[in-house]
Amino acid sequence: AQSVTQLDSQVPVFEEAPVELRCNYSSSVSVYLFWYVQYPNQGLQLLLKYLSGSTLVKGINGFEAEFNKSQTSFHLRKPSVHISDTAEYFCAVSAGNAGNMLTFGGGTRLMVKP
Amino acid sequence: GAGVSQSPRYKVAKRGQDVALRCDPISGHVSLFWYQQALGQGPEFLTYFQNEAQLDKSGLPSDRFFAERPEGSVSTLKIQRTQQEDSAVYLCASSSRPAGATNEKLFFGSGTQLSVL
């Protein structure tokens, strides 16, 4: 079984500042890793995913994440946030042979202030 | 349709009532998932369909929960004798390929918010 821990439930940050949202996972098998964003009253949208290859993954809206196998982490970063990035962000994992069968973390609410 | 559609958007039920939540996946999508998202929590897997076959129902919390997808398109999640702990947002997601195909994007609906009083 897999589990995901998002260490910060809320992250307040000023507009144009950099941000990092932390995600750690545990699994006894190889995993695929995902970040999803949820805007108010909308469905989850995929930001980026790591399947294999380069450990630095670039996604939509200027976000990127780095897979660190030794630290079992997949932190999400953006060098300069906008007010429109205010949303809930979820890290998720799936076992290597389970594709889209996702286990989600508890979420981090990113609050961008002017 | 253009995306995954769920109805109703909001549902209020008295404790003990039965409810039915509907999911219209993207046309032609093979995989369909149901997730439960409690307030302040991440989504938790309930069940998975590949076409009309329910291949995994390990996440259903009790035998009061039942899901079906009889023709491999629309799916219904039914909760019998609702309890207050059933209050949550129920999310549906679909994908064009089977669950093992990670290169296919998963599309989520906006969810049904169920409140049991």
Side-chain angles (χ1 to χ4, degrees), chain B residues 94-109:
Chain B
S94 72
S95 174
S96 62
R97 292 179 64 188
T102 51
N103 284 330
E104 289 302 314
K105 191 174 178 180
L106 196 60
F107 293 84
F108 281 83

Side-chain angles (χ1 to χ4, degrees), chain B residues 6 27 38 51 62 69 76 81 110:
Chain B
Q6 292 187 246
S27 179
N51 297 308
S62 77
R69 194 186 185 198
T76 303
R81 304 180 304 281
S110 299

Side-chain angles (χ1 to χ4, degrees), chain B residues 71-100:
Chain B
E71 296 179 1
S73 54
V74 171
S75 178
T76 303
L77 176 66
K78 297 178 179 178
I79 309 173
Q80 297 176 325
R81 304 180 304 281
T82 53
Q83 304 294 316
Q84 285 187 322
E85 61 263 27
D86 300 335
S87 295
V89 175
Y90 290 85
L91 299 171
C92 177
S94 72
S95 174
S96 62
R97 292 179 64 188

Side-chain angles (χ1 to χ4, degrees), chain A residues 9-10 16 18 26 28 47 54 64 102-103:
Chain A
S9 59
Q10 295 186 54
E16 298 184 5
S26 67
S28 57
L47 273 179
S54 174
E64 63 181 31
L102 302 174
T103 299

Side-chain angles (χ1 to χ4, degrees), chain A residues 16-84:
Chain A
E16 298 184 5
V19 70
E20 179 179 83
L21 306 184
R22 295 181 292 170
C23 172
N24 287 87
Y25 69 92
S26 67
S27 176
S28 57
V29 299
S30 62
V31 295
Y32 299 137
L33 295 152
F34 306 80
W35 275 99
Y36 280 84
V37 60
Q38 187 175 38
Y39 298 104
N41 298 315
Q42 294 186 28
L44 291 157
Q45 299 175 33
L46 180 66
L47 273 179
L48 48 78
K49 61 184 176 184
Y50 171 80
L51 304 181
S52 64
S54 174
T55 57
L56 183 62
V57 181
K58 293 190 182 298
I60 61 172
N61 301 340
F63 284 93
E64 63 181 31
E66 186 158 18
F67 171 54
N68 188 319
K69 188 175 181 180
S70 63
Q71 296 186 6
T72 60
S73 69
F74 191 55
H75 301 332
L76 182 70
R77 302 186 183 98
K78 186 170 182 178
S80 176
V81 295
H82 303 291
I83 294 288
S84 59

Side-chain angles (χ1 to χ4, degrees), chain B residues 5-80:
Chain B
S5 177
Q6 292 187 246
S7 59
R9 182 70 181 90
Y10 301 95
K11 177 68 179 177
V12 179
K14 291 183 179 179
R15 190 171 54 184
Q17 278 186 329
D18 298 349
V19 298
L21 312 180
R22 178 185 171 105
C23 172
D24 282 84
I26 293 172
S27 179
H29 274 197
V30 167
S31 294
L32 186 145
F33 301 81
W34 283 99
Y35 284 86
Q36 180 191 57
Q37 186 177 13
L39 186 64
Q41 305 290 323
E44 293 192 0
F45 170 78
L46 292 177
T47 187
Y48 162 66
F49 290 87
Q50 183 174 314
N51 297 308
E52 69 279 2
Q54 189 175 19
L55 298 186
D56 190 332
K57 54 182 181 179
S58 61
L60 296 177
S62 77
D63 59 7
R64 296 185 296 104
F65 286 70
F66 172 76
E68 60 183 5
R69 194 186 185 198
E71 296 179 1
S73 54
V74 171
S75 178
T76 303
L77 176 66
K78 297 178 179 178
I79 309 173
Q80 297 176 325

